[in-house]
Every structure is written in C-alpha cells, then in structure tokens.
Amino acid sequence: MANPEGSESPTGPKLTTGFIEAPLGSDGKTFKLLRILPSNERDSESLATSIDIECDLLVADLSDAPRYEALSYTWGSTIQDQPIKIHFGPNVPPNQSAVFKTEEILVTKHLHSAIRRLRQPTHSRTVWVDQLCINQTNIQERNAQVRLMAEVYRKAERTVVWLGEADILDIDQDAIVDATERMNFRPIDHPYSTPEDQVILKELIGFRSQGTERQVGLRRRQVLAEVLNRPWFTRAWVFQEVVVAKSGIVLCGSLEMDMEIFINLLDGVCDLDLQEMGEAASIMHASRGYKPMFAIREARFEERYGLSSSRKSKWLATLWQGMGNLSATNPRDKVYAFLAFSDSEEAARIAPSYQLSVDQVYCDAAYRSIRSIKSLDVLELAIKSREVATHHITSSRGIPSWVPDFAAPLPSLPFMTHNVGSTDFNAARKSPYPYPLTAITNDSTTLPVRGHVISKIKSIAPFDFTIDRRSATLHNRFRLPDVMAWLHSQIESTTLAKLSTIELETRVLRTLFAQGAGRDDTPANMNFESARIREVYHQEPSLLQHKASGLFGEPARSTDPQSVRDLKTSYRYYKWMTTVAAIADSKSFFLTEHHDLGIAYEAIEEGDSVCILLGSKTPGILREAPSSESGSNTYVFVAQCYLDGWMHGEEHQGREWTPESAKSFELV
C-alpha cells in the first residue's frame, strides 16, 4: 500500500492516497458512493486524454440509496500514483451534491483507467468502488463496511466487471461481438451452447477454417485465452461480487458485453477447444481463470433459484472453491470474502475483524461450521502436505491440525470432490457430532471428538500416483501390476491372499478411485461399479487405439453396429474415469494391520491410527500428539481417508462398534 502520509505529484502539490475521512453513520447501514462527474467532451476519444477526473463522494443509507452500479475489479499494483479530484464533506445527504471540500488524491493505475472508461461525456455516473468508498487505513470502518459488501452488490443496479485495458485488434473485437449477436445463448440455468452456436464458435476461433482464416481464428482463440488469464478471475472477492449481482456487464478495454453472454461465450469456446486440442493443450487446462468462471456460473444459478444442490453446507463448499481457485492479498479474506454464502446462523455471526490474527479467523470459521451443522465436514478441508503435517507434529506454532488453512492451495482433491458435504459415504452411520454446542468455543485450539480406532496403518506403498496430465493414462498413473506385486509381498498368509486376481484387482482399483467420491459426475445411465472400473481399466489400450483411428469422432448412434455402440459407451466411461482418477493425486495407498486397503493424503505414516469419528462421513487418520502422555487420547488430525469396506457403516466381525461405545479424544 502507498505511503499514507502522501506523495509528491509531478506538478508539485502534495497529494494524499485514496482514503478519505468522510464520517459514516453509527447504524451500520450507511456507506459511501462515488459520483463520477462527466468529462464534458462528446468525443469518445477524450477517454484516452489527460482530462482531470473529478468525482463527488456521497454518504448514503442502504435502505434509501440513489441508483448506483458496483465496480468489480482488481487493484493490480497497490502503488497509488494516479491523481483524481474528490469533492466531499461530512454527512453529505444521499441524493444531493453539496460540496464542502475538494481534495486531490492518488489511486492505483488500474482504478484510474476503470474510472476513465466508466466516465460519461455529458452526465454523471454513480458507482461503489472499494478503494475510494472504504477508508482502508481505518480498521473500524473497514470491518463495518466489509460486513455490508454483499448487500452493497445485491442492491446495486448492476455490477460492472473491469478486466483492464486490452490490446485487442478492432477486427477481432468486432468478430467476437458479431458472434455473440448471432448466437442463441440460453439463460443461466441452461448455459450450454446449441449445435448452431457451436458452429459459430468454431468459425470464430478457426476450427472450421484453413489457411489464413484459420490463423486469424487461432489469434482470436489466443485473445480469449489471455482474457481468462487476467488476475480478476482469481481474486477471492469477485466471487461474491458477481454471484450476488442482479445483472452485470464486462468491460475489457473498449469491449463491453453482458456478463451472462460473456461467461457463456468463454465457456462455449473452452468446451470446443477441449474437444479440438485435447486437455493438455486446452485453454481450460492452461488457464487459471476457467475453474473460477465455472464456479461463478454454478453459484449464480444456485443464488438465483435459492438452491444449495445436495450439499449440507453451502458455505463450506464455497470456502473449498476459494481454497482451490481464488487468492487474496489479506489471508483473512479467504473467509470474509465468502460470508455472503453462510447458510447458518452460526456462520452468519462471523463479524469481520482485521484486528484478529489469521489463526483466530480460521479457528473461528472451523468452530462455527461444526456448531452450525453438527458435523465434522470441515475436516475435508484440513488437508495437509507431508511437510505441513510434520510441522504441526514437531512445533507448537501454526493453526490446529483440524483447522483448514484456507489460504493454502489444496495439494489434492478431497474425497467429497465436487460438493463438499455431499456424498454417499456414511462411515459413522449418520451419527452427528456428539458434543453440545457449548462444548466448543472460539477461543480454544482443541476439538473434543468421539470415535473408534479400528486399526493402524501397517505399511504404505512406495508409489506416487500424481502424474502429468499429458501422459495421464490409467495404466501410467496406477501401475496396477506394480501395486499388485507390492501388495502380494505384504499379505502372505492373510485372507486377502486367498482372493482371486480378479477380486483383488477389483478391490485395489475401487480403493485407488475412492469409489463414490465423484458420484455427482458419473455419466448418465452409468453406475460406478467396481467390476466396471476394472473392465474399462483393462480396455484402455484398445480404446486408445480406436480413438486414434477416429472411431470416437461422433457420439454413439442407433444406426451403429452394437459392437461400435458398446465401444463408444466404454470410451465415454473411460474419459470420465481419467478425470475421476485425479482423486489419487498427492495420496498414498496403504494397508492396515487388519488388512484393510485404503488411500489417504501423503502425510500419513506407518503406525498412524485409523478412526471412525462421530459426525464424519469418512474415516480419519490420527497420530498421537508428541507432547501428550501415553494413553491421554490427545491426537493430531492427519487426514481423512477412503478405507475399503468401511465407507458405508458396514459391520465387521470382531470389530463391532456403536455410537454409544465410542471413546473420547481431543484433537490439537
């Protein structure tokens, strides 16, 4: 952030950074608005000149605010060195332009260019923009205004997305606009492009052309790929700003487009690009903006229709999206930016406070999640790499092991891969978190739990299942012959050794795929059955040969011979399996002392306890805390796991348990 004491402008006068002390009301519902005054130039070329920018700063009440738009953008560089004039005064009435004082202040270059694009030649334009409407140096004001941000964006006439200036050739910009005008985009609840739209998109990006026309199309493809890599797509706050908006427009340089059309355009291009270029070379794979854009589209659908899909905690699912795809300069915002999606009274009670430490904010979020749904679903996000897990066990510093580090990128997919809290897994037989709400408080770093230790990890396979997606065949990833050879060396004279090769391979593949983790994405009319997994795995070499021959260029048709239809169906299932196989990234295959097969995050070690925790849908891996005395039942939470034969509350002779017989533990 720029020097709050001010900076020298090129013309001499001392300018202050863009934070103005305009007093707000004490009722918690007042906020500031920026009225951008007209340039008084009818020629649009004036937008690129050095005409001074002047604005009024108004104070309004959310219940009686004038019509306004809300700006969604990234700060870019935090250096504030671009001057604008602000007219303001204490308690300016909401619908008047009374001026008490004028001050020249400095803003960031990115905001300066946005205001130039927003400014109209002959009439004013009222907007909300965080950099000028929140005094970022006043922590008390910042805390209060962050609480209002979701409502500010909901009540705005529309959200204006500013992606920044763009070096897009006029001919390419005209072609993009022309394509969208010719297309019959569906509404947000049916966003996928029609076959006719796909033809237009293929022409736009050169997939139906040859020679010079193809080169021009591929240049447009690159333009759209560059747009998806803009920082805006990965900023945590934009998720809220766009999802709750009534409507929106996107500005990129001089290009202006309806937000829904913009999202559908990019999604349609990415889908066709994936089919044409393959995953490894696709925009979808290379772009950092595709996943956030897809998540925004899905969340807008849910927001519009008041849906929460089958998830038990919409807020947890949104926090997961933030961990994996979005970033924030202040790590506290990895929680605060998603408070608009809190779906319980407990989560809604979180009051943004930038005086709190990051650890306190994250612990508070985890506690409130548990208290709100009486579930340990939050453990899905407490994913640690081997290095971080070791740090937790050897050092007293850092957040508790059971609390997610919301600022850290996920090393791998959680076992409830698509909708956090939504799964068929039922390891604890639907037993809720057993402690009363008063048993967990926000100022404690320990979590009381109850459960059953069902075994310990005996051995861990020496294989890394994480591979480059460009070579991500199932055989390359899982190396089934090597895994089977290792397993046979571990199970001599056990019940597993008596299984046939087919039975044992089926169990191994079922475990490596964490069967049931990706159920929401199973192809229509197909069941994710263990035998089917093994069958298609062994079909892979022949399926890839048929693909190379062009057999799968068209979907299955009723006029195809039955053998061809079967192959096309198998290939469709195979493509889905290659996606689901990513569940094995950064995970280790293990064998317990009772000869259970499992897979868990690579932080696990031999000797760790495998436990059924009441309130958790999947088993957990616990490790005795190094500072605890023997038998003290104080543990570090290491990871969740998939344990074959234990994911649905199955009974096991000699290892019976009931919720009533569960033992107490403390997680630290």
PDB file of all heavy atoms in Angstrom, residues 279-280 285 465-478 540 544 574 578:
ATOM      1  N   GLU A 279      -7.004 -32.160 -23.640  1.00  0.00           N
ATOM      2  CA  GLU A 279      -6.924 -31.495 -22.337  1.00  0.00           C
ATOM      3  C   GLU A 279      -5.593 -30.801 -22.107  1.00  0.00           C
ATOM      4  O   GLU A 279      -5.539 -29.661 -21.636  1.00  0.00           O
ATOM      5  CB  GLU A 279      -7.181 -32.502 -21.207  1.00  0.00           C
ATOM      6  CG  GLU A 279      -7.181 -31.838 -19.841  1.00  0.00           C
ATOM      7  CD  GLU A 279      -7.548 -32.799 -18.728  1.00  0.00           C
ATOM      8  OE1 GLU A 279      -7.731 -34.000 -19.012  1.00  0.00           O
ATOM      9  OE2 GLU A 279      -7.650 -32.351 -17.579  1.00  0.00           O
ATOM     10  N   ALA A 280      -4.484 -31.470 -22.425  1.00  0.00           N
ATOM     11  CA  ALA A 280      -3.171 -30.915 -22.089  1.00  0.00           C
ATOM     12  C   ALA A 280      -2.909 -29.586 -22.778  1.00  0.00           C
ATOM     13  O   ALA A 280      -2.262 -28.702 -22.209  1.00  0.00           O
ATOM     14  CB  ALA A 280      -2.080 -31.919 -22.458  1.00  0.00           C
ATOM     15  N   HIS A 285      -7.243 -26.144 -19.492  1.00  0.00           N
ATOM     16  CA  HIS A 285      -6.164 -26.677 -18.659  1.00  0.00           C
ATOM     17  C   HIS A 285      -5.115 -25.614 -18.356  1.00  0.00           C
ATOM     18  O   HIS A 285      -4.597 -25.531 -17.241  1.00  0.00           O
ATOM     19  CB  HIS A 285      -5.507 -27.868 -19.363  1.00  0.00           C
ATOM     20  CG  HIS A 285      -4.383 -28.480 -18.590  1.00  0.00           C
ATOM     21  ND1 HIS A 285      -4.569 -29.081 -17.370  1.00  0.00           N
ATOM     22  CD2 HIS A 285      -3.054 -28.563 -18.856  1.00  0.00           C
ATOM     23  CE1 HIS A 285      -3.403 -29.523 -16.918  1.00  0.00           C
ATOM     24  NE2 HIS A 285      -2.473 -29.214 -17.800  1.00  0.00           N
ATOM     25  N   PHE A 465       1.115 -41.507  -7.258  1.00  0.00           N
ATOM     26  CA  PHE A 465       0.051 -41.596  -8.255  1.00  0.00           C
ATOM     27  C   PHE A 465      -0.229 -40.259  -8.930  1.00  0.00           C
ATOM     28  O   PHE A 465      -1.177 -40.144  -9.708  1.00  0.00           O
ATOM     29  CB  PHE A 465      -1.227 -42.119  -7.598  1.00  0.00           C
ATOM     30  CG  PHE A 465      -1.059 -43.485  -6.979  1.00  0.00           C
ATOM     31  CD1 PHE A 465      -1.202 -43.666  -5.611  1.00  0.00           C
ATOM     32  CD2 PHE A 465      -0.731 -44.579  -7.760  1.00  0.00           C
ATOM     33  CE1 PHE A 465      -1.039 -44.916  -5.029  1.00  0.00           C
ATOM     34  CE2 PHE A 465      -0.565 -45.830  -7.192  1.00  0.00           C
ATOM     35  CZ  PHE A 465      -0.718 -46.005  -5.819  1.00  0.00           C
ATOM     36  N   THR A 466       0.575 -39.246  -8.621  1.00  0.00           N
ATOM     37  CA  THR A 466       0.407 -37.936  -9.249  1.00  0.00           C
ATOM     38  C   THR A 466       1.270 -37.879 -10.497  1.00  0.00           C
ATOM     39  O   THR A 466       2.485 -38.053 -10.427  1.00  0.00           O
ATOM     40  CB  THR A 466       0.831 -36.810  -8.288  1.00  0.00           C
ATOM     41  OG1 THR A 466       0.104 -36.946  -7.069  1.00  0.00           O
ATOM     42  CG2 THR A 466       0.566 -35.445  -8.897  1.00  0.00           C
ATOM     43  N   ILE A 467       0.662 -37.646 -11.655  1.00  0.00           N
ATOM     44  CA  ILE A 467       1.421 -37.599 -12.901  1.00  0.00           C
ATOM     45  C   ILE A 467       0.972 -36.415 -13.733  1.00  0.00           C
ATOM     46  O   ILE A 467      -0.083 -35.831 -13.504  1.00  0.00           O
ATOM     47  CB  ILE A 467       1.288 -38.905 -13.720  1.00  0.00           C
ATOM     48  CG1 ILE A 467      -0.167 -39.094 -14.188  1.00  0.00           C
ATOM     49  CG2 ILE A 467       1.753 -40.095 -12.928  1.00  0.00           C
ATOM     50  CD1 ILE A 467      -0.340 -40.254 -15.144  1.00  0.00           C
ATOM     51  N   ASP A 468       1.800 -36.062 -14.715  1.00  0.00           N
ATOM     52  CA  ASP A 468       1.467 -35.006 -15.666  1.00  0.00           C
ATOM     53  C   ASP A 468       0.253 -35.438 -16.473  1.00  0.00           C
ATOM     54  O   ASP A 468       0.200 -36.556 -16.988  1.00  0.00           O
ATOM     55  CB  ASP A 468       2.673 -34.774 -16.599  1.00  0.00           C
ATOM     56  CG  ASP A 468       2.503 -33.525 -17.456  1.00  0.00           C
ATOM     57  OD1 ASP A 468       1.376 -33.290 -17.939  1.00  0.00           O
ATOM     58  OD2 ASP A 468       3.497 -32.808 -17.631  1.00  0.00           O
ATOM     59  N   ARG A 469      -0.731 -34.533 -16.585  1.00  0.00           N
ATOM     60  CA  ARG A 469      -1.962 -34.900 -17.291  1.00  0.00           C
ATOM     61  C   ARG A 469      -1.732 -35.204 -18.764  1.00  0.00           C
ATOM     62  O   ARG A 469      -2.552 -35.839 -19.406  1.00  0.00           O
ATOM     63  CB  ARG A 469      -2.997 -33.781 -17.145  1.00  0.00           C
ATOM     64  CG  ARG A 469      -3.541 -33.672 -15.741  1.00  0.00           C
ATOM     65  CD  ARG A 469      -4.798 -32.857 -15.695  1.00  0.00           C
ATOM     66  NE  ARG A 469      -5.369 -32.844 -14.369  1.00  0.00           N
ATOM     67  CZ  ARG A 469      -6.582 -32.389 -14.101  1.00  0.00           C
ATOM     68  NH1 ARG A 469      -7.340 -31.904 -15.064  1.00  0.00           N
ATOM     69  NH2 ARG A 469      -7.043 -32.394 -12.870  1.00  0.00           N
ATOM     70  N   ARG A 470      -0.612 -34.733 -19.308  1.00  0.00           N
ATOM     71  CA  ARG A 470      -0.349 -35.017 -20.720  1.00  0.00           C
ATOM     72  C   ARG A 470      -0.082 -36.494 -20.946  1.00  0.00           C
ATOM     73  O   ARG A 470      -0.181 -36.993 -22.060  1.00  0.00           O
ATOM     74  CB  ARG A 470       0.830 -34.175 -21.206  1.00  0.00           C
ATOM     75  CG  ARG A 470       0.497 -32.703 -21.380  1.00  0.00           C
ATOM     76  CD  ARG A 470       1.726 -31.878 -21.656  1.00  0.00           C
ATOM     77  NE  ARG A 470       2.613 -31.839 -20.506  1.00  0.00           N
ATOM     78  CZ  ARG A 470       3.700 -31.073 -20.430  1.00  0.00           C
ATOM     79  NH1 ARG A 470       4.031 -30.294 -21.445  1.00  0.00           N
ATOM     80  NH2 ARG A 470       4.448 -31.083 -19.356  1.00  0.00           N
ATOM     81  N   SER A 471       0.280 -37.211 -19.880  1.00  0.00           N
ATOM     82  CA  SER A 471       0.510 -38.657 -20.011  1.00  0.00           C
ATOM     83  C   SER A 471      -0.380 -39.418 -19.042  1.00  0.00           C
ATOM     84  O   SER A 471      -0.037 -40.496 -18.582  1.00  0.00           O
ATOM     85  CB  SER A 471       1.984 -38.975 -19.728  1.00  0.00           C
ATOM     86  OG  SER A 471       2.362 -38.511 -18.431  1.00  0.00           O
ATOM     87  N   ALA A 472      -1.541 -38.827 -18.734  1.00  0.00           N
ATOM     88  CA  ALA A 472      -2.385 -39.352 -17.670  1.00  0.00           C
ATOM     89  C   ALA A 472      -3.277 -40.503 -18.129  1.00  0.00           C
ATOM     90  O   ALA A 472      -4.491 -40.437 -18.010  1.00  0.00           O
ATOM     91  CB  ALA A 472      -3.222 -38.235 -17.068  1.00  0.00           C
ATOM     92  N   THR A 473      -2.694 -41.559 -18.675  1.00  0.00           N
ATOM     93  CA  THR A 473      -3.484 -42.765 -18.901  1.00  0.00           C
ATOM     94  C   THR A 473      -3.623 -43.478 -17.556  1.00  0.00           C
ATOM     95  O   THR A 473      -2.821 -43.288 -16.640  1.00  0.00           O
ATOM     96  CB  THR A 473      -2.812 -43.701 -19.911  1.00  0.00           C
ATOM     97  OG1 THR A 473      -1.572 -44.173 -19.359  1.00  0.00           O
ATOM     98  CG2 THR A 473      -2.541 -42.980 -21.230  1.00  0.00           C
ATOM     99  N   LEU A 474      -4.644 -44.290 -17.461  1.00  0.00           N
ATOM    100  CA  LEU A 474      -4.858 -45.003 -16.199  1.00  0.00           C
ATOM    101  C   LEU A 474      -3.713 -45.954 -15.897  1.00  0.00           C
ATOM    102  O   LEU A 474      -3.304 -46.112 -14.742  1.00  0.00           O
ATOM    103  CB  LEU A 474      -6.183 -45.771 -16.267  1.00  0.00           C
ATOM    104  CG  LEU A 474      -7.444 -44.925 -16.471  1.00  0.00           C
ATOM    105  CD1 LEU A 474      -8.679 -45.811 -16.500  1.00  0.00           C
ATOM    106  CD2 LEU A 474      -7.569 -43.860 -15.390  1.00  0.00           C
ATOM    107  N   HIS A 475      -3.171 -46.589 -16.933  1.00  0.00           N
ATOM    108  CA  HIS A 475      -2.052 -47.510 -16.717  1.00  0.00           C
ATOM    109  C   HIS A 475      -0.812 -46.772 -16.234  1.00  0.00           C
ATOM    110  O   HIS A 475      -0.080 -47.270 -15.374  1.00  0.00           O
ATOM    111  CB  HIS A 475      -1.748 -48.288 -18.005  1.00  0.00           C
ATOM    112  CG  HIS A 475      -2.702 -49.416 -18.268  1.00  0.00           C
ATOM    113  ND1 HIS A 475      -4.042 -49.215 -18.503  1.00  0.00           N
ATOM    114  CD2 HIS A 475      -2.505 -50.765 -18.324  1.00  0.00           C
ATOM    115  CE1 HIS A 475      -4.643 -50.387 -18.700  1.00  0.00           C
ATOM    116  NE2 HIS A 475      -3.728 -51.338 -18.601  1.00  0.00           N
ATOM    117  N   ASN A 476      -0.549 -45.585 -16.802  1.00  0.00           N
ATOM    118  CA  ASN A 476       0.611 -44.816 -16.362  1.00  0.00           C
ATOM    119  C   ASN A 476       0.452 -44.321 -14.929  1.00  0.00           C
ATOM    120  O   ASN A 476       1.421 -44.257 -14.176  1.00  0.00           O
ATOM    121  CB  ASN A 476       0.829 -43.611 -17.279  1.00  0.00           C
ATOM    122  CG  ASN A 476       1.378 -43.993 -18.632  1.00  0.00           C
ATOM    123  OD1 ASN A 476       1.902 -45.097 -18.801  1.00  0.00           O
ATOM    124  ND2 ASN A 476       1.246 -43.112 -19.608  1.00  0.00           N
ATOM    125  N   ARG A 477      -0.772 -43.963 -14.568  1.00  0.00           N
ATOM    126  CA  ARG A 477      -0.989 -43.421 -13.222  1.00  0.00           C
ATOM    127  C   ARG A 477      -0.918 -44.513 -12.157  1.00  0.00           C
ATOM    128  O   ARG A 477      -0.223 -44.383 -11.158  1.00  0.00           O
ATOM    129  CB  ARG A 477      -2.337 -42.711 -13.140  1.00  0.00           C
ATOM    130  CG  ARG A 477      -2.609 -42.101 -11.765  1.00  0.00           C
ATOM    131  CD  ARG A 477      -4.021 -41.576 -11.634  1.00  0.00           C
ATOM    132  NE  ARG A 477      -4.273 -40.387 -12.427  1.00  0.00           N
ATOM    133  CZ  ARG A 477      -3.981 -39.148 -12.034  1.00  0.00           C
ATOM    134  NH1 ARG A 477      -3.382 -38.946 -10.872  1.00  0.00           N
ATOM    135  NH2 ARG A 477      -4.270 -38.121 -12.810  1.00  0.00           N
ATOM    136  N   PHE A 478      -1.669 -45.606 -12.359  1.00  0.00           N
ATOM    137  CA  PHE A 478      -1.857 -46.560 -11.275  1.00  0.00           C
ATOM    138  C   PHE A 478      -0.899 -47.748 -11.287  1.00  0.00           C
ATOM    139  O   PHE A 478      -0.744 -48.406 -10.263  1.00  0.00           O
ATOM    140  CB  PHE A 478      -3.304 -47.066 -11.282  1.00  0.00           C
ATOM    141  CG  PHE A 478      -4.299 -46.015 -10.898  1.00  0.00           C
ATOM    142  CD1 PHE A 478      -5.422 -45.783 -11.664  1.00  0.00           C
ATOM    143  CD2 PHE A 478      -4.102 -45.243  -9.770  1.00  0.00           C
ATOM    144  CE1 PHE A 478      -6.341 -44.814 -11.311  1.00  0.00           C
ATOM    145  CE2 PHE A 478      -5.011 -44.262  -9.405  1.00  0.00           C
ATOM    146  CZ  PHE A 478      -6.129 -44.045 -10.176  1.00  0.00           C
ATOM    147  N   GLU A 540      -8.357 -50.065 -21.693  1.00  0.00           N
ATOM    148  CA  GLU A 540      -7.734 -48.791 -22.061  1.00  0.00           C
ATOM    149  C   GLU A 540      -6.862 -48.862 -23.316  1.00  0.00           C
ATOM    150  O   GLU A 540      -7.021 -48.026 -24.225  1.00  0.00           O
ATOM    151  CB  GLU A 540      -6.920 -48.236 -20.889  1.00  0.00           C
ATOM    152  CG  GLU A 540      -6.267 -46.893 -21.202  1.00  0.00           C
ATOM    153  CD  GLU A 540      -5.456 -46.376 -20.015  1.00  0.00           C
ATOM    154  OE1 GLU A 540      -4.573 -47.120 -19.533  1.00  0.00           O
ATOM    155  OE2 GLU A 540      -5.696 -45.231 -19.594  1.00  0.00           O
ATOM    156  N   LEU A 544      -7.794 -46.589 -26.700  1.00  0.00           N
ATOM    157  CA  LEU A 544      -6.937 -45.533 -27.225  1.00  0.00           C
ATOM    158  C   LEU A 544      -6.575 -45.793 -28.685  1.00  0.00           C
ATOM    159  O   LEU A 544      -6.427 -44.847 -29.478  1.00  0.00           O
ATOM    160  CB  LEU A 544      -5.673 -45.413 -26.364  1.00  0.00           C
ATOM    161  CG  LEU A 544      -5.901 -44.900 -24.931  1.00  0.00           C
ATOM    162  CD1 LEU A 544      -4.591 -44.848 -24.158  1.00  0.00           C
ATOM    163  CD2 LEU A 544      -6.561 -43.529 -24.951  1.00  0.00           C
ATOM    164  N   TYR A 574     -14.625 -44.336 -19.950  1.00  0.00           N
ATOM    165  CA  TYR A 574     -13.176 -44.252 -19.744  1.00  0.00           C
ATOM    166  C   TYR A 574     -12.728 -42.801 -19.580  1.00  0.00           C
ATOM    167  O   TYR A 574     -11.921 -42.483 -18.692  1.00  0.00           O
ATOM    168  CB  TYR A 574     -12.455 -44.907 -20.924  1.00  0.00           C
ATOM    169  CG  TYR A 574     -10.986 -44.558 -20.994  1.00  0.00           C
ATOM    170  CD1 TYR A 574     -10.068 -45.114 -20.111  1.00  0.00           C
ATOM    171  CD2 TYR A 574     -10.511 -43.642 -21.946  1.00  0.00           C
ATOM    172  CE1 TYR A 574      -8.720 -44.782 -20.168  1.00  0.00           C
ATOM    173  CE2 TYR A 574      -9.178 -43.305 -22.010  1.00  0.00           C
ATOM    174  CZ  TYR A 574      -8.284 -43.881 -21.113  1.00  0.00           C
ATOM    175  OH  TYR A 574      -6.952 -43.534 -21.160  1.00  0.00           O
ATOM    176  N   THR A 578     -10.718 -41.156 -16.350  1.00  0.00           N
ATOM    177  CA  THR A 578      -9.430 -40.457 -16.333  1.00  0.00           C
ATOM    178  C   THR A 578      -9.524 -39.150 -15.555  1.00  0.00           C
ATOM    179  O   THR A 578      -8.541 -38.693 -14.967  1.00  0.00           O
ATOM    180  CB  THR A 578      -8.942 -40.163 -17.764  1.00  0.00           C
ATOM    181  OG1 THR A 578      -9.894 -39.330 -18.444  1.00  0.00           O
ATOM    182  CG2 THR A 578      -8.720 -41.445 -18.537  1.00  0.00           C
TER     183      THR A 578
END
